């Protein structure tokens, strides 16, 4: 069972702390499949995945997770270590950041990260080694020493030639000597009592050549050379004591055992170097940790595997619930599930290297499911998807290489491609036999027709009728540059006009109801549309029938989609706002990746490198700007956003994992028949917001105590309002029954609800 604990419970499993409550509107949905390192605590093991942690309690068997929502950095984790002496968990990152977690919170140590004298690419933290409250940190530039008691850096050692940077893999200490294995400068050692230890000339060359690892075992040095041999150094001589057939990744030691990790096996050596082995059963190993009774093995794709030392053939998979990868490319929400696809293409629409990945789905309130690639007819690089409007269990998934995949009730039933539909492969003169069917952005119109775009074709718009009949339509009239064009996202407005983004011709509008000469129109640069660049990436129609367009160089708005039906040319406007009294263009020069219009007609705008914006209905006010420095976003590079319309939870897929933000809006309803107040009752330990959902847009909500005293009032923007349980933000209301009165804007419909609050 996976539980979400606070920071202190993550370390001790005893109590809550305050930090996570600051982020009560955020949730993390990270992948824990790829394990980087494992460290032992007094009550279990702490495991580092790509950019999140999880903890296995060995007595309770509970799993807890720790991510950006709890204060962890979203950067790539390279090492983790638990210090029993100081009761701290230390996390090292590729960019040089250190985070230290204890009962007081998360402490960021940024000296290495911010050190300008260290090459930016040489700051990765490779290994931790503790001795007498001092933490010896092996980095790609050398070694730094951190005092865990005083929480400060003491020294840094640059031990390359002439005192330059050199990458240190790991260190050990034996008989007052610090041994350091470097990638290119052999193994060096220094006496820890040497007052001039900072001087690189005081470091002796212990072993020249290439070495992979070092450990102290049975009071002797054990080395791993580049030939994957274990070499025992007893102080007077060296001898080869073992050899692995596969490349050695890591080596660790305990009092009685030496642990060696390879890609496909684990070797456990006793003091006399007799060997126990565990071979991989299809998993690729990354690391391992040995306790007195159990072996924990980290894998590339399946979390950790726990086995007993008494029976290495036993196997228990330990993996928190989550998507299979952090690099989610696109999202799609139905009433019951959030779907996630991984088949990305690059910024210039190149799907190579092709992805052979399945489809993840988050079943709301019930965790994650996965349809493996092996069950998808070989469809590669799955990019976008849509559900049938009358059956959300019938899905159409666009592959940006293989065609269009149909899925029914979680089972792939059909792959449409150039052999059984009007979908077409792009054509290569140098290789006429090459097949590459690039489909994107499936959408349904009001008549139940499924529309997709087919890149690199003149007839790049395809339609499948409800009867399964296919039609093709030319987009050539709109193109201002020569073919080929890559097509991205697509949306359909109230008139049935299809709006497609392209990488070379801006936005293409198409409506088959019009005559052939005027059914296709383009929005491009300059006098032909006022886009800042031909490369458009996102389109969305808002509740005022305006078309919002995101490009790689900024934002534009078409004032009314009806103009497509009546005007020969289409012109967009930029949005000018006042910033400190100066006129500025909203999102000037920003690479926009997605636009989502919520129930209150606000626009959530995702960018490639500046995080997530939320602006008012007309763009004149920025309501939120979330980045990885002011929110739990693990990255400012956002691939896709999608909202659960029933709850207002906005899912944000970045290149380093997915989080969600609980917005204060849902889709507006047409009546008040299904108003819901939740949670109800509000129990003493509840820290979140109280929601009133199922509302009509702009209706008035008043909350009073049982005697009629008003404690909260709000106007719905969309289908939901939130209440923090206070009397107008001044103090928490007392225990009791509270009345919720709802009146629509025109006064024609009313509703009343009760809510119980228990303090």
């Amino acid at each position: 069972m996976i539980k979400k604990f606070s920071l202190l419970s993550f370390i001790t499993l005893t109590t809550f702390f305050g930090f996570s409550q600051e982020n009560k509107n955020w949730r993390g949905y990270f992948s824990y499949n790829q394990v980087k390192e494992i460290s032992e605590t007094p009550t279990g093991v702490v495991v580092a995945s790509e950019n999140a942690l999880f903890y296995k309690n060995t007595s309770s068997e509970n799993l807890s997770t720790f991510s950006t929502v709890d204060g962890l950095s979203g950067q790539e984790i390279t090492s983790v270590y638990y210090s029993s002496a100081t009761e701290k968990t230390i996390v090292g990152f590729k960019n040089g950041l250190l985070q230290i977690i204890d009962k007081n919170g998360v402490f960021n140590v940024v000296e290495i990260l911010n050190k300008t004298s260290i090459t930016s690419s040489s700051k990765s933290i490779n290994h931790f080694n503790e001795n007498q409250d001092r933490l010896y940190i092996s980095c790609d530039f050398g070694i730094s020493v951190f005092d865990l008691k005083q929480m400060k850096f003491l020294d840094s050692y640059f031990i390359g030639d002439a005192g330059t940077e050199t990458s240190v893999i790991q260190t050990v200490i034996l008989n007052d000597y610090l041994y350091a294995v470097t990638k290119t400068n052999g193994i060096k050692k220094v006496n820890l009592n040497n007052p001039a230890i900072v001087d690189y000339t005081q470091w002796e060359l212990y072993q020249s050549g290439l070495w992979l690892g070092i450990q102290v075992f049975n009071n002797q040095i054990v080395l791993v050379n580049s030939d994957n041999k274990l070499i025992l150094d007893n102080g007077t001589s060296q001898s080869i004591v073992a050899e692995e057939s596969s490349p050695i990744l890591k080596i660790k030691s305990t009092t009685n055992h030496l642990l060696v990790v390879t890609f496909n096996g684990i070797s456990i050596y006793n003091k006399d170097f007799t060997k126990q082995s565990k071979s991989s059963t299809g998993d690729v190993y990354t690391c391992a940790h040995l306790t007195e009774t159990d072996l924990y093995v980290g894998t590339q794709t399946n979390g950790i595997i726990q086995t007993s030392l008494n029976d290495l053939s036993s196997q228990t998979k330990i993996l928190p619930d989550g998507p299979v990868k952090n690099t989610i490319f696109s999202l799609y929400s139905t009433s019951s599930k959030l779907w996630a696809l991984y088949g990305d293409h690059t910024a210039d629409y190149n799907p190579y290297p092709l992805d052979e990945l399945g489809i993840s789905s988050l079943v709301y309130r019930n965790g994650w499911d996965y349809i493996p690639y092996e069950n998808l007819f070989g469809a590669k690089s799955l990019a976008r998807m849509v559900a049938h409007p009358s059956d959300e269990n019938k899905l159409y998934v666009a592959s940006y290489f293989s065609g269009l995949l149909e899925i029914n009730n979680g089972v792939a039933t059909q792959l449409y491609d150039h052999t059984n539909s009007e979908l077409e492969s792009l054509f290569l003169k140098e290789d006429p036999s090459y097949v590459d069917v690039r489909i994107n952005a499936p959408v349904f119109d009001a008549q139940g027709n499924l529309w997709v775009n087919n890149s690199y074709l003149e007839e790049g718009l395809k339609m499948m009728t409800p009867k399964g009949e296919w039609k093709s339509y030319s987009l050539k009239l709109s193109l201002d540059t020569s073919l080929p064009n890559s097509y991205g996202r697509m949306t359909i407005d109230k008139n049935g006009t299809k709006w497609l983004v392209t990488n070379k011709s801006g936005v293409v509008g198409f409506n088959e109801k019009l005559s052939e000469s005027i059914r296709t129109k383009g929005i491009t640069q300059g006098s032909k549309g006022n886009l800042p660049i031909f490369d458009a990436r996102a389109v969305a129609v808002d509740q005022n029938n305006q078309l919002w367009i995101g490009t790689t160089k900024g934002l534009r708005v078409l004032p009314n989609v009806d103009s497509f039906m009546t005007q020969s040319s289409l012109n967009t406007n930029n949005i000018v706002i006042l910033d400190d009294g100066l006129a500025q263009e909203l999102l000037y020069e920003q690479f926009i990746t997605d636009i989502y219009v919520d129930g209150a007609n606000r626009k959530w705008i995702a960018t490639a490198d500046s995080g997530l914006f939320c602006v008012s209905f007309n763009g004149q006010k920025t309501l939120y700007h979330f980045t990885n420095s002011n929110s739990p976003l693990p990255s400012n590079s956002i691939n896709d956003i999608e909202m659960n319309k029933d709850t207002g939870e906005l899912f944000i897929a970045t290149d380093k994992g997915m989080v969600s933000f609980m917005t204060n809006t849902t889709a507006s309803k047409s009546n008040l028949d299904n108003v819901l107040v939740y949670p109800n009752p509000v129990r003493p330990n509840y820290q979140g917001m109280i929601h009133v959902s199922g509302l009509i847009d702009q209706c008035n909500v008043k909350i009073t105590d049982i005697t009629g005293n008003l404690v909260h009032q709000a106007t719905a923007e969309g289908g939901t309002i939130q209440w923090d349980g206070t009397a107008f933000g001044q103090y928490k209301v007392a225990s009791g029954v509270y009345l919720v009165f709802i009146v629509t804007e025109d006064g024609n419909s009313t509703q009343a609800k009760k809510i119980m609050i228990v303090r």
Side-chain angles (χ1 to χ4, degrees):
M1 183 178 185
I2 300 161
K3 294 185 178 180
K4 184 65 179 179
F5 292 98
S6 63
L7 173 59
L8 187 55
S9 64
F10 182 84
I11 305 301
T12 64
L13 300 182
T14 57
T15 187
F16 283 94
F17 80 115
F19 182 89
S20 65
Q21 298 309 319
E22 297 175 7
N23 290 326
K24 57 189 176 184
N25 286 329
W26 292 87
R27 296 176 184 171
Y29 297 94
F30 289 89
S31 171
Y32 298 89
N33 293 48
Q34 183 180 356
V35 174
K36 295 295 189 74
E37 188 56 276
I38 306 167
S39 186
E40 187 175 355
T41 78
T43 55
V45 290
V46 57
V47 182
S49 61
E50 289 175 279
N51 58 354
L53 305 176
F54 67 93
Y55 171 81
K56 164 70 182 304
N57 184 290
T58 51
S59 58
S60 68
E61 298 299 315
N62 279 330
L63 288 181
S64 59
T65 61
F66 194 81
S67 69
T68 59
V69 174
D70 308 292
L72 195 68
S73 168
Q75 295 297 314
E76 180 180 345
I77 297 173
T78 51
S79 192
V80 67
Y81 172 75
Y82 180 80
S83 168
S84 296
T86 60
E87 297 182 333
K88 301 177 189 294
T89 298
I90 303 98
V91 187
F93 297 86
K94 187 175 182 178
N95 67 350
L97 174 68
L98 278 180
Q99 287 194 301
I100 299 177
I101 307 169
D102 64 12
K103 62 183 179 182
N104 297 313
V106 180
F107 186 76
N108 291 328
V109 183
V110 298
E111 278 82 348
I112 295 175
L113 172 66
N114 293 340
K115 194 76 171 178
T116 57
S117 60
I118 301 174
T119 306
S120 59
S121 60
S122 301
K123 297 180 179 181
S124 179
I125 294 170
N126 302 321
H127 181 258
F128 295 117
N129 177 24
E130 184 182 7
N131 183 57
Q132 297 180 350
D133 299 331
R134 292 189 173 188
L135 193 67
Y136 293 86
I137 307 169
S138 299
C139 305
D140 272 354
F141 65 85
I143 301 167
S144 283
V145 186
F146 187 81
D147 191 314
L148 287 171
K149 288 282 190 180
Q150 299 183 56
M151 293 290 284
K152 68 177 184 179
F153 274 102
L154 301 178
D155 287 309
S156 288
Y157 309 141
F158 294 84
I159 60 175
D161 295 335
T164 57
E165 296 179 0
T166 189
S167 180
V168 177
I169 298 172
Q170 65 180 135
T171 66
V172 296
I173 295 173
L174 178 64
N175 298 329
D176 290 333
Y177 272 87
L178 176 66
Y179 296 79
V181 178
T182 73
K183 285 185 179 179
T184 57
N185 290 85
I187 302 175
K188 296 191 174 184
K189 72 173 185 177
V190 71
N191 193 309
L192 289 174
N193 298 316
N194 187 333
I197 190 173
V198 175
D199 183 356
Y200 74 94
T201 64
Q202 302 299 304
W203 289 71
E204 304 174 44
L205 181 62
Y206 174 64
Q207 292 289 335
S208 61
L210 298 177
W211 300 87
L212 304 178
I214 186 172
Q215 281 293 297
V216 174
F217 181 50
N218 196 22
N219 206 38
Q220 299 176 89
I221 293 290
V222 178
L223 305 173
V224 179
N225 68 13
S226 56
D227 293 326
N228 300 302
K229 293 182 175 65
L230 300 183
I231 298 175
L232 180 65
D233 186 336
N234 60 14
T236 58
S237 63
Q238 293 183 346
S239 59
I240 299 174
V241 293
E243 182 176 359
E244 294 293 331
S245 58
S246 299
I248 294 175
L249 298 176
K250 293 188 179 181
I251 179 173
K252 284 186 175 182
S253 63
T254 65
T255 302
N256 298 310
H257 297 97
L258 184 70
L259 178 64
V260 178
V261 184
T262 71
F263 284 109
N264 56 10
I266 302 292
S267 296
I268 303 172
Y269 294 92
N270 297 324
K271 288 184 176 180
D272 60 359
F273 284 94
T274 57
K275 176 181 176 181
Q276 290 178 281
S277 296
K278 172 179 172 53
S279 297
S280 170
T281 55
D283 292 304
V284 176
Y285 294 157
T286 58
C287 58
H289 186 83
L290 197 61
T291 68
E292 291 185 1
T293 58
D294 293 295
L295 171 67
Y296 295 88
V297 183
T299 72
Q300 183 74 24
T301 57
N302 285 303
I304 59 175
I305 298 169
Q306 180 182 358
T307 64
S308 169
L309 278 180
N310 296 324
D311 182 13
L312 291 180
S313 63
S314 66
Q315 180 170 304
T316 301
K317 182 178 176 180
I318 302 172
L319 179 64
D321 200 22
V324 298
K325 286 175 65 68
N326 277 324
T327 51
I328 295 172
F329 181 68
S330 70
L331 300 167
Y332 182 77
S333 178
T334 65
S335 63
S336 62
K337 293 182 181 180
L338 177 78
W339 296 87
L341 300 176
Y342 308 98
D344 60 346
H345 51 66
T346 63
D348 59 356
Y349 288 91
N350 181 4
Y352 285 89
L354 299 174
D355 294 299
E356 296 183 351
L357 296 166
I359 305 172
S360 289
S361 61
L362 173 63
V363 183
Y364 293 132
R365 302 180 183 87
N366 287 313
W368 289 85
D369 284 338
Y370 185 65
I371 305 174
Y373 166 77
E374 291 74 18
N375 297 345
L376 299 178
F377 298 120
K380 303 179 188 341
S381 296
L382 303 178
R384 309 276 176 204
M385 69 189 308
V386 70
H388 193 281
S390 62
D391 183 1
E392 68 173 45
N393 293 311
K394 188 173 186 177
L395 301 163
Y396 292 88
V397 186
S399 161
Y400 206 66
F401 180 79
S402 305
L404 182 70
L405 187 68
E406 182 179 324
I407 296 176
N408 287 277
N409 296 308
V411 178
T413 54
Q414 180 74 55
L415 177 64
Y416 298 100
D417 58 18
H418 63 296
T419 66
N420 59 4
S421 70
E422 290 206 17
L423 303 182
E424 300 176 67
S425 172
L426 58 85
F427 178 75
L428 297 179
K429 290 182 180 179
E430 61 272 21
D431 186 5
S433 63
Y434 176 75
V435 176
D436 187 342
V437 186
R438 299 192 178 186
I439 305 302
N440 215 340
V443 290
F444 277 94
D445 65 18
Q447 291 72 44
N449 300 306
L450 176 64
W451 295 82
V452 299
N453 55 56
N454 196 165
S455 289
Y456 288 89
L457 300 174
E458 178 181 321
E459 292 190 337
L461 190 58
K462 310 291 185 180
M463 185 263 283
M464 184 174 68
T465 69
K467 295 182 178 180
E469 299 168 343
W470 286 89
K471 293 182 180 180
S472 298
Y473 296 95
S474 172
L475 298 173
K476 185 176 181 180
L477 291 178
S478 70
L479 302 181
D480 297 320
T481 59
S482 60
L483 290 173
N485 253 260
S486 292
Y487 302 116
R489 298 176 185 270
M490 179 165 58
T491 191
I492 301 178
D493 67 23
K494 65 183 181 66
N495 301 315
T497 302
K498 273 62 68 176
W499 301 95
L500 304 80
V501 299
T502 79
N503 67 332
K504 294 182 179 179
S505 302
V507 175
V508 178
F510 176 87
N511 195 314
E512 73 282 6
K513 301 171 187 175
L514 302 180
S515 63
E516 189 169 342
S517 62
I518 60 172
R519 62 172 47 169
T520 311
K521 298 170 187 175
I523 303 174
T524 59
Q525 286 182 298
S527 62
K528 297 183 179 181
N530 191 37
L531 294 187
I533 194 171
F534 283 111
D535 195 352
R537 294 299 168 123
V539 282
V541 179
D542 73 5
Q543 295 168 19
N544 294 328
N545 293 316
Q546 295 182 323
L547 182 71
W548 290 64
I549 302 169
T551 76
T552 59
K553 290 290 184 179
L555 179 72
R556 292 293 185 268
V557 178
L558 182 68
N560 194 326
V561 295
D562 291 344
S563 61
F564 181 90
M565 308 297 289
T566 60
Q567 298 178 17
S568 59
S569 61
L570 305 174
N571 288 292
T572 63
N573 302 320
N574 59 354
I575 296 176
V576 178
I577 59 174
L578 288 179
D579 186 3
D580 291 332
L582 298 176
Q584 303 284 342
E585 180 181 317
L586 178 66
L587 298 174
Y588 177 70
E589 292 283 305
Q590 292 290 337
F591 189 131
I592 296 170
T593 57
D594 194 16
I595 301 172
Y596 185 91
V597 181
D598 70 15
N601 206 23
R602 301 179 302 183
K603 282 73 182 179
W604 296 86
I605 303 174
T607 69
D609 54 16
S610 298
L612 178 67
F613 295 81
C614 177
V615 299
S616 59
F617 73 98
N618 59 4
Q620 289 298 312
K621 184 177 181 181
T622 299
L623 305 174
Y624 299 106
H625 178 202
F626 295 128
T627 68
N628 61 359
S629 62
N630 67 8
S631 77
L633 281 181
S635 168
N636 290 332
S637 180
I638 300 176
N639 295 330
D640 202 15
I641 51 178
E642 180 76 345
M643 184 177 287
N644 180 340
K645 297 179 180 63
D646 294 328
T647 65
E649 185 174 9
L650 181 74
F651 296 90
I652 309 160
T654 79
D655 63 344
K656 292 182 179 178
M658 184 172 74
V659 294
S660 73
F661 177 70
M662 189 60 69
T663 71
N664 58 1
T665 186
T666 57
S668 175
K669 304 299 181 182
S670 58
N671 55 58
L672 298 176
D673 293 345
N674 296 303
V675 171
L676 177 65
V677 181
Y678 63 94
N680 194 7
V682 179
R683 303 189 185 280
N685 61 349
Y686 182 70
Q687 300 292 327
M689 302 293 283
I690 300 166
H691 298 76
V692 182
S693 66
L695 304 176
I696 298 173
D697 187 36
Q698 298 301 307
C699 67
N700 185 261
V701 181
K702 293 183 179 181
I703 302 176
T704 73
D705 62 20
I706 199 67
T707 61
N709 295 308
L710 186 67
V711 295
H712 184 71
Q713 183 173 355
T715 299
E717 294 183 346
T720 299
I721 65 109
Q722 293 180 330
W723 177 40
D724 62 2
T726 68
F728 294 103
Q730 295 181 354
Y731 54 86
K732 287 186 177 181
V733 298
S735 296
V737 175
Y738 291 81
L739 306 177
V740 181
F741 299 100
I742 304 161
V743 181
T744 57
E745 186 178 20
D746 58 13
N748 291 332
S749 297
T750 62
Q751 185 65 269
K753 295 288 182 179
K754 292 181 180 179
I755 183 171
M756 169 69 75
I757 295 180
V758 182
R759 295 301 186 192

